[in-house]
Amino acid sequence: MVVRALALLLSALPCTAATIAIDVGHYLEAPGVTSAHGRVEFEFNRDLAREIDAQLQARGRATQLIGAGGDLNSLAARPRLADKAALFVSVHHDSMQEFLLSTWTYEGVERKYGDRFEGFSLFVSHENPGWRKALRCASAIGAALIRTGFKPSLYHADKKVGENRPFADRTNGVHYFDRLAVLRNARMPALLFEAGVIVNREEEKRMADPEVRARIAAAVVNGIEECMP
């Protein structure tokens, strides 16, 4: 509670050149994918972004948490709000192509799910002027996640099942993804992080576990510390 209270206090301070901007992917009116058990992605994103934000601040990093209120509906505006930040990290949770999904009934409601893939993915864009630095940070985050015991999903590079996003760093689960508004409108190095596949019924449970979330956040922070000394 003390760490979170400190995080809220520090996040209200002006953004500086050393600030790490943490973006909560999606918003209340367009909350992203619905998980296999019926929870919207925005809620997963907000929980993890807050955890990353708190852990960064606990290590003495200045941060700016963006979109936690759920009312920021402009993707282009998000990186502009963090215009003076040193790094922009957009936090998301993953799905799959529609044809890979099946249906099941959970608590009397028919839901979509897909248990074929699991794991994290990271994305950078050539349209981001700081993409080389973003790639170094994405690779460092991916490596830290792997050291912690998490695995990259890798399926996004497949032409048929994963949208054909070429690898920027296959070993550490990093892909190129141009045309992403939140990355192409960022002036600072920017990356997008898909923490796990929440249409996967077992992975969704892991993503909702506070202990797992804290481990993911710690790995992300370790990666940021490595690439932003």
Side-chain angles (χ1 to χ4, degrees):
M1 294 296 292
V2 174
V3 171
R4 293 191 181 280
L6 179 61
L8 288 173
L9 176 63
L10 292 176
S11 64
L13 297 176
C15 185
T16 69
T19 296
I20 309 299
I22 306 298
D23 171 56
V24 179
H26 298 287
Y27 51 98
L28 291 174
E29 292 182 1
V33 65
T34 299
S35 75
H37 292 86
R39 188 183 183 203
V40 296
E41 180 191 348
F42 173 77
E43 295 177 2
F44 286 90
N45 298 345
R46 181 168 55 187
D47 288 348
L48 179 55
R50 284 173 169 168
E51 184 66 34
I52 294 169
D53 182 72
Q55 290 199 33
L56 279 167
Q57 292 197 27
R59 298 200 197 184
R61 288 282 185 179
T63 66
Q64 184 178 12
L65 186 61
I66 296 171
D71 57 351
L72 189 56
N73 61 7
S74 170
L75 298 180
R78 291 168 181 256
R80 288 200 290 266
L81 287 172
D83 191 49
K84 296 180 181 179
L87 179 67
F88 183 94
V89 180
S90 189
V91 177
H92 291 255
H93 288 74
D94 214 350
S95 184
M96 299 179 198
Q97 295 280 15
E98 187 73 18
F99 74 91
L100 294 169
L101 300 178
S102 302
T103 58
W104 72 318
T105 300
Y106 176 72
E107 293 186 342
V109 179
E110 189 175 87
R111 305 285 186 189
K112 293 183 179 181
Y113 77 95
D115 294 338
R116 179 175 174 182
F117 297 108
E118 60 185 343
F120 70 85
S121 299
L122 293 135
F123 299 91
V124 298
S125 170
H126 289 110
E127 295 179 304
N128 171 223
W131 72 266
R132 290 179 177 84
K133 178 70 171 181
L135 175 54
R136 290 195 293 272
C137 288
S139 292
I141 291 170
L145 285 161
I146 291 168
R147 289 195 300 269
T148 307
F150 299 99
K151 296 180 180 180
S153 65
L154 303 180
Y155 77 94
H156 283 288
D158 190 283
K159 293 182 180 180
K160 293 183 179 180
V161 302
E163 304 155 12
N164 193 25
R165 307 300 177 194
F167 285 115
D169 175 1
R170 188 186 192 285
T171 299
N172 295 310
V174 186
H175 302 260
Y176 291 116
F177 192 170
D178 297 335
R179 311 304 296 173
L180 276 173
V182 74
L183 300 185
R184 69 195 298 251
N185 285 283
R187 298 180 183 177
M188 73 295 291
L191 63 94
L192 188 145
F193 172 47
E194 298 275 10
V197 182
I198 56 173
V199 292
N200 180 307
R201 290 173 290 186
E202 290 304 315
E203 179 138 283
E204 179 194 356
K205 293 176 184 178
R206 293 192 292 272
M207 294 298 102
D209 184 333
E211 292 185 5
V212 174
R213 185 163 58 243
R215 288 173 56 220
I216 293 172
V220 171
V221 171
N222 286 338
I224 291 173
E225 292 282 276
E226 182 178 332
C227 78
M228 303 289 293

